[in-house]
Amino acid sequence: MFPQTRLRRLRRQSLRPLFTETQVTRNDLIMPLFFVEGAADKVPITSMPGQYRWPLSAAADVAKDLAKDGIKAVILFGIPKTKDAVASSAFAADGVIQEATRAIKAAVPDMVVITDLCACEYTDHGHCGIIHESCDGPDLDNDASLALMQKIAVSQAAAGADMVAPSCMLDGMVMAIREALDSAGYEYIPIMSYSTKFASALYGPFREAADSGFSFGDRSTYQMNPANGREALRESLLDKEEGADILMVKPASFYLDVLAQVKELGLPTAAYQVSGEYSMIKAAAQNGWIDEKRIVMESLTSIKRAGADLIITYYAQDVARWLA
């Protein structure tokens, strides 16, 4: 009780660093990268200032630059030359993600390459798998899409991916991918599941970055309703039971309550600070309304405090430099 108890004693400037409970380190950070098949030069992503769509020829140099700043892991997204209804470019041996993986692993062998495992960038309709006619009109065919995810997973592992990250939110996706990887001799490849991925309005800038807008409907029949917390936890629990090695909550900042609950399931937990989160901070900073560095570090610290062991963020390289 006051005056014997004075919490301000430990908040003196000289003592404050000694009692910091949560600290973001470079080991926590994963940098997302976008590669465009057939591109000659990097292209700025207008809705995400400071971010680029890279040509495959730049993959090695981009990885070296990130490694120089202490980034140890990247997650790859690809934009192919051609798209079709069955996402055939997604599992091609010479696909954009497969080639980017090979280039990065050759240039920086210690870089952990995580491949986003989905079909939305590769389908001509922009949805995350095979489409069929349902009672409500065209929709994602869950079980046919599982077979597609299996082919993509094996192709990415064969190209040298250290980890696959299925983001399609299909029922049974982790079990199907685990079975395919094990059968192909890749039982050592971990699965970082987008286990609780919300149908969020925060993905807007990503649509430009990955050229993954959908031609009809939306993704609400397979991504999580932002209003549903209990169902969100159940999604992650099911992925744990199916064999996921890491669980992910996406987006991050608006769903810290869900992230804290998913952490209690006992698996390593990741959070994705998505494009909209990045762009809101960046836009406010460019207008002089906020201190960008302080806001970024505060947001990432909050994400880690809520339970994230890994944070996927477009600020990864900036943060690594600030920490250095």
Side-chain angles (χ1 to χ4, degrees), residues 62-106:
V62 171
K64 290 176 183 176
D65 187 53
L66 290 169
K68 173 177 60 68
D69 287 324
I71 296 297
K72 296 178 173 61
V74 294
I75 184 166
L76 308 185
F77 301 88
I79 300 95
K81 278 184 180 179
T82 59
K83 302 186 179 193
D84 57 33
V86 295
S88 55
S89 295
F91 55 83
D94 59 351
V96 58
I97 286 299
Q98 289 78 359
E99 292 295 336
T101 298
R102 293 186 187 99
I104 291 172
K105 293 302 291 185

Side-chain angles (χ1 to χ4, degrees), residues 4-312:
Q4 289 79 15
T5 299
R6 294 177 180 264
L7 295 182
R8 290 186 59 194
R9 289 188 188 119
L10 302 184
R11 294 178 192 159
R12 288 166 44 199
Q13 290 296 329
S14 59
L15 297 180
R16 196 177 181 94
L18 302 179
F19 300 98
T20 300
E21 297 176 8
T22 305
Q23 298 189 53
V24 176
T25 74
R26 285 176 288 182
N27 290 337
D28 303 325
L29 304 172
I30 300 172
M31 180 69 187
L33 296 173
F34 301 92
F35 289 99
V36 183
E37 187 177 21
D41 300 298
K42 69 178 183 181
V43 177
I45 302 170
T46 56
S47 57
M48 299 175 66
Q51 301 300 310
Y52 299 90
R53 288 159 48 129
W54 298 96
L56 279 171
S57 59
D61 288 339
V62 171
K64 290 176 183 176
D65 187 53
L66 290 169
K68 173 177 60 68
D69 287 324
I71 296 297
K72 296 178 173 61
V74 294
I75 184 166
L76 308 185
F77 301 88
I79 300 95
K81 278 184 180 179
T82 59
K83 302 186 179 193
D84 57 33
V86 295
S88 55
S89 295
F91 55 83
D94 59 351
V96 58
I97 286 299
Q98 289 78 359
E99 292 295 336
T101 298
R102 293 186 187 99
I104 291 172
K105 293 302 291 185
V108 188
D110 292 337
M111 181 68 75
V112 175
V113 174
I114 306 164
T115 49
D116 180 75
L117 202 174
C118 197
C120 58
E121 298 108 306
Y122 305 90
T123 53
D124 52 13
H125 47 72
H127 284 277
C128 301
I130 307 299
I131 297 299
H132 71 157
E133 285 295 326
S134 74
C135 57
D136 296 320
D139 195 10
L140 199 64
D141 185 329
N142 192 92
D143 295 5
S145 299
L146 289 178
L148 172 60
M149 297 308 143
Q150 289 178 315
K151 290 196 288 187
I152 299 172
V154 172
S155 175
Q156 292 176 345
D162 296 294
M163 185 184 304
V164 297
S167 60
C168 49
M169 284 291 288
L170 297 169
D171 291 337
M173 69 176 184
V174 172
M175 181 182 296
I177 291 167
R178 184 74 274 157
E179 289 174 352
L181 289 172
D182 291 357
S183 296
Y186 299 112
E187 66 278 353
Y188 56 89
I189 297 292
I191 297 173
M192 179 168 68
S193 174
Y194 288 63
S195 57
T196 299
K197 179 180 179 182
F198 290 89
S200 172
L202 289 166
Y203 303 145
F206 181 90
R207 304 283 181 248
E208 176 197 352
D211 189 24
S212 64
F214 32 82
S215 60
F216 65 88
D218 57 29
R219 294 176 181 153
S220 60
T221 65
Y222 46 103
Q223 293 179 359
M224 278 295 314
N225 183 340
N228 291 6
R230 292 191 301 273
E231 185 186 4
L233 186 61
R234 190 179 181 195
E235 281 280 6
S236 283
L237 178 60
L238 285 170
D239 281 9
K240 174 186 176 180
E241 292 173 346
E242 290 179 17
D245 300 282
I246 304 165
L247 302 174
M248 186 201 299
V249 175
K250 178 184 180 182
S253 300
F254 288 10
Y255 299 95
L256 297 184
D257 58 326
V258 175
L259 175 60
Q261 293 178 71
V262 170
K263 176 67 173 181
E264 293 301 312
L265 296 179
L267 290 184
T269 305
Y272 198 143
Q273 187 185 52
V274 300
S275 59
E277 295 173 82
Y278 172 89
S279 295
M280 286 192 296
I281 295 173
K282 182 65 74 170
Q286 289 181 338
N287 277 286
W289 297 335
I290 60 172
D291 182 321
E292 184 175 19
K293 178 179 176 181
R294 287 186 63 191
I295 289 289
V296 170
M297 293 309 301
E298 184 176 341
S299 68
L300 297 187
T301 300
S302 298
I303 293 167
K304 186 170 182 181
R305 189 183 65 239
D309 301 292
L310 300 170
I311 304 173
I312 303 169

